[in-house]
Amino acid sequence: MGYRVAVVGATGNVGREMLNILEEVNFPVEKIHAIASRKSIGQLVSFGNQNIACEDVEQFDFSKVDVVLMSVSGGFSKEWAPKIGAAGPIVIDNSSAWRMDPDVPLIVPEVNPDDVEWASRKNIIANPNCSTAQLVVALKPLHDRAKIKRVVVATYQSVSGAGKEGMDELWDQTKGVFVLGAPEPKKFPKQIAFNVIPFIGAFRDDGFTDEEAKMWNETHKIIDPAIKLTVTCVRVPVMVGHSEAVNIEFENPLDEDEAREILRESPGLVVVDKHEPTGYITPKEAQGEFPVFVSRIRKDDTVEHGLSMWVVADNLRKGAALNAVQIAELLHQRGLIRQKALV
């Protein structure tokens, strides 16, 4: 017997990807529901060979489903996730609303799977920020071996991280540059076509952005609060796929060859690292793929025990929808989904 699953925010980029991946991995689904806001009621989304009409979140009875995957705004999740969890199903939430709540586990299944055991505190599990998810998959096995002291990260984040509006803006501006000039930015603060923007989110008093703060706060919660982490988040004119230049300082020695082997043997990772002009992964090649890819692993001689590397993943998949589905699979494997009798 399969589960009754609801995807809330089913018409968005990540919601649609959640539906795709549930079908791709053959998650045991008995009945699927696509849930959206009132303006999207009746809109069709795909699940395998089916076209499903979106149902109204305000009218839907969540007590009749077992698992809810949510890709909505933080404000919407703050209002609805507790209501849905109280109705019975386990909520896997992709927003930032619950990530730092001490009673809500923040899960990347390859990194901290045991934390799902206390999901029953609020019946909510949080998905990390897309850039955090791929980073911690690469950091955790190295931390286990040589203990990370400090990490410096520069991200190269695709416009899909800002939703369909971000993708449309890059497309429209790119076309416009060659015709009548790029239209004025709306979604981003400056032109994104043929440009990079070293600003994502909102500025904090310390000069960092909240996107940057999310990465260090979430890494501390998922792996180790003792890791020192500094980040610069940059939006780049790429449709799908986030990249990160990562510099790591360890407490114990770890050379690049051993690091390469550790990462090759770790779950969720693929190492593509040859000293050739094409011996690395770009976001274009990572698009549509499940793993986190690591390339350009090399020694950093400016510190006693240092390595640098290049980390790439599909942000709509491992950074969001895939991770959520993997959490659902983890719950299924551990028998933590309270399945209701079909009526």
Side-chain angles (χ1 to χ4, degrees):
M1 184 186 297
Y3 300 107
R4 290 174 294 182
V5 180
V7 175
V8 180
T11 59
N13 284 344
V14 174
R16 290 175 185 271
E17 201 68 18
M18 286 173 170
L19 289 164
N20 290 338
I21 294 171
L22 284 167
E23 194 272 334
E24 279 184 52
V25 303
N26 294 314
F27 186 77
V29 175
E30 177 74 24
K31 174 71 174 175
I32 190 81
H33 297 272
I35 312 297
S37 60
R38 186 155 295 171
K39 66 181 181 181
S40 298
I41 296 172
Q43 184 174 333
L44 295 178
V45 293
S46 298
F47 177 70
N49 296 323
Q50 306 174 49
N51 285 321
I52 309 163
C54 287
E55 302 174 68
D56 182 7
V57 68
E58 300 275 355
Q59 303 298 322
F60 188 76
D61 179 8
F62 285 97
S63 68
K64 67 183 183 181
V65 296
D66 307 306
V67 184
V68 175
L69 278 62
M70 294 183 67
S71 181
V72 295
S73 69
F76 188 98
S77 179
K78 275 288 187 185
E79 177 185 356
W80 278 94
K83 295 179 185 177
I84 296 170
I90 187 78
V91 178
I92 303 169
D93 179 55
N94 193 55
S95 81
S96 61
W98 302 99
R99 291 173 185 161
M100 300 313 298
D101 188 309
D103 291 323
V104 174
L106 179 64
I107 302 291
V108 176
E110 299 94 334
V111 178
N112 60 334
D114 291 344
D115 287 357
V116 296
E117 299 291 341
W118 47 278
S120 58
R121 293 182 189 176
K122 287 190 174 177
N123 233 18
I124 301 170
I125 298 174
N127 226 20
N129 179 278
C130 47
S131 296
T132 305
Q134 67 188 68
L135 178 66
V136 297
V137 171
L139 291 184
K140 182 58 163 58
L142 301 179
H143 182 61
D144 289 345
R145 164 61 182 81
K147 196 171 184 182
I148 294 171
K149 292 171 60 177
R150 182 172 184 261
V151 186
V152 181
V153 182
T155 71
Y156 303 75
Q157 294 177 229
S158 66
V159 295
S160 58
K164 184 177 182 299
E165 291 176 343
M167 299 174 78
D168 289 345
E169 188 154 305
L170 174 58
W171 177 248
D172 292 340
Q173 286 181 354
T174 302
K175 290 188 298 181
V177 164
F178 295 105
V179 186
L180 299 174
E184 288 297 311
K186 296 178 182 177
K187 182 65 178 178
F188 302 115
K190 296 192 178 189
Q191 179 180 314
I192 185 60
F194 303 96
N195 199 15
V196 299
I197 302 172
F199 169 78
I200 301 176
F203 275 118
R204 296 162 20 121
D205 291 341
D206 61 5
F208 286 91
T209 67
D210 55 3
E211 181 82 359
E212 292 157 352
K214 287 174 190 175
M215 288 188 66
W216 67 65
N217 287 331
E218 293 169 19
T219 299
H220 289 160
K221 183 173 179 178
I222 294 169
I223 298 182
D224 187 342
I227 295 173
K228 296 178 180 179
L229 177 63
T230 187
V231 186
T232 301
C233 287
V234 184
R235 187 75 70 190
V236 297
V238 170
M239 281 293 184
V240 176
H242 287 359
S243 306
E244 296 167 349
V246 183
N247 178 264
I248 312 168
E249 182 181 359
F250 298 94
E251 287 196 8
N252 303 306
L254 177 66
D255 67 33
E256 60 267 42
D257 291 330
E258 185 180 358
R260 220 172 267 118
E261 288 307 308
I262 289 169
L263 294 171
R264 283 196 179 109
E265 295 172 5
S266 300
L269 285 167
V270 171
V271 175
V272 179
D273 189 16
K274 297 180 180 178
H275 296 173
E276 301 172 357
T278 59
Y280 49 85
I281 288 290
T282 67
K284 178 66 176 175
E285 294 151 322
Q287 185 175 348
E289 301 293 335
F290 280 10
V292 173
F293 295 90
V294 183
S295 303
R296 302 216 54 214
I297 303 164
R298 58 207 187 275
K299 187 177 180 182
D300 174 12
D301 287 323
T302 66
V303 294
E304 186 177 6
H305 306 303
L307 291 175
S308 293
M309 60 187 186
W310 176 249
V311 180
V312 183
D314 183 323
N315 57 294
L316 297 180
R317 292 203 151 209
K318 185 54 190 172
L322 172 62
N323 199 71
V325 174
Q326 287 175 321
I327 293 170
E329 290 182 308
L330 179 61
L331 291 167
H332 167 62
Q333 291 161 8
R334 298 198 176 197
L336 297 174
I337 300 174
R338 296 196 297 270
Q339 195 169 12
K340 303 171 186 67
L342 289 171
V343 293

